[in-house]
Amino acid sequence: ELAMLLVGTSLAIKPIAVLFLPLLLLQVPGWRRRAYGLTLAVLPSLLFWLPNLLDSPNEVLIALRSYRGVPDFGYVGIYNSWRNLGLGGSGISHDYAFAWWFRPFCLLVIGLVWWRCRRAGLITQVVVVTLTLYLIYGKLAAQYLMWVIPFGAVLSSPRLLRATLFTALALAAFYQLHHPGIMSGFGHVRLPTGITIPQWSGIFLFAQVMLYLEGLRWLRDLFKETKLE
């Protein structure tokens, strides 16, 4: 019950937990108990959204339908980093509209990949789903990179250290380029590092490419492990 309430609370903050909710429900025996668990998970989000739903339900629905992600990380982020090389500045993250069928396609791919690993433990399934999201959906915000790390730590994955290092490097470069105040604590003032902006752009591209490749290798390793099981 507590797990369902926590998942529901996380749904009210960030929607990625909607990918994990079916995995958790499948761990519950019996359809009646699953329905009860689903109710517990939906309740916190419903209470959170209730004032907005009562005040402006159409705007809430439009916001849910129109969200497409941000082009900072993922393969769109890699492309943006490549385009910004040599500009002498932090560059602009160009957005690209995905076709209407792309999100259903991503869900289908995630479902097929999960089916391949469905007999693995719950934490392994969560890592598989998260990595597949990273690899298949090209527009990700910075916080998406963090969510696989604690689950990988629970698994004691040998890929965790490299994934953590590349994630930290990618985030440091991203914030130094686009949101320097987060690093320095002073508005738009960049943290003095002795590294130029064009160099940070190259570091950002390198870290993103390595992180993407590490995600592919990690997913491959999990496929091998689940096949042995």
Side-chain angles (χ1 to χ4, degrees):
E1 294 179 352
L2 179 59
M4 292 300 180
L5 289 172
L6 290 174
V7 170
T9 302
S10 69
L11 278 172
I13 301 171
K14 287 293 179 182
I16 188 175
V18 74
L19 297 175
F20 308 147
L21 181 57
L23 311 182
L24 190 58
L25 288 172
L26 288 173
Q27 305 298 312
V28 179
W31 288 103
R32 181 174 296 181
R33 294 186 63 186
R34 288 173 184 169
Y36 175 61
L38 179 61
T39 302
L40 289 177
V42 170
L43 187 60
S45 296
L46 184 61
L47 292 175
F48 179 84
W49 284 101
L50 188 58
N52 294 308
L53 287 170
L54 293 176
D55 182 60
S56 51
N58 290 334
E59 292 182 9
V60 172
L61 294 175
I62 290 173
L64 291 174
R65 290 198 307 263
S66 61
Y67 181 74
R68 296 290 185 271
V70 292
D72 295 330
F73 292 91
Y75 48 81
V76 173
I78 292 173
Y79 176 70
N80 277 324
S81 298
W82 174 74
R83 291 182 78 254
N84 290 330
L85 282 178
L87 293 181
S90 59
I92 299 173
S93 292
H94 294 273
D95 203 353
Y96 301 90
F98 290 143
W100 65 268
W101 50 264
F102 186 71
R103 283 197 292 180
F105 170 75
C106 288
L107 290 175
L108 176 62
V109 172
I110 290 172
L112 291 173
V113 172
W114 166 80
W115 184 260
R116 169 66 178 73
C117 304
R118 68 191 183 281
R119 301 190 187 281
L122 177 60
I123 301 300
T124 299
Q125 293 180 38
V126 170
V127 172
V128 166
V129 167
T130 306
L131 289 174
T132 307
L133 174 68
Y134 289 176
L135 297 173
I136 194 69
Y137 197 78
K139 298 194 297 183
L140 301 173
Q143 68 270 14
Y144 280 75
L145 304 187
M146 301 298 298
W147 290 331
V148 75
I149 301 300
F151 296 110
V154 173
L155 292 179
S156 300
S157 172
R159 293 284 177 188
L160 179 64
L161 178 59
R162 281 166 291 189
T164 302
L165 290 175
F166 290 134
T167 297
L169 186 60
L171 290 174
F174 170 73
Y175 286 118
Q176 188 75 343
L177 288 168
H178 298 286
H179 305 282
I182 293 178
M183 299 286 288
S184 67
F186 298 100
H188 296 286
V189 178
R190 286 189 168 86
L191 188 70
T193 60
I195 302 174
T196 65
I197 294 303
Q199 288 172 335
W200 273 118
S201 297
I203 292 170
F204 189 35
L205 175 60
F206 167 78
Q208 287 217 70
V209 170
M210 295 306 296
L211 187 58
Y212 194 89
L213 294 175
E214 195 62 30
L216 285 170
R217 297 188 189 104
W218 195 350
L219 193 59
R220 179 200 61 190
D221 291 350
L222 291 172
F223 275 7
K224 290 180 179 178
E225 292 173 12
T226 54
K227 185 176 182 179
L228 293 174
E229 294 174 358

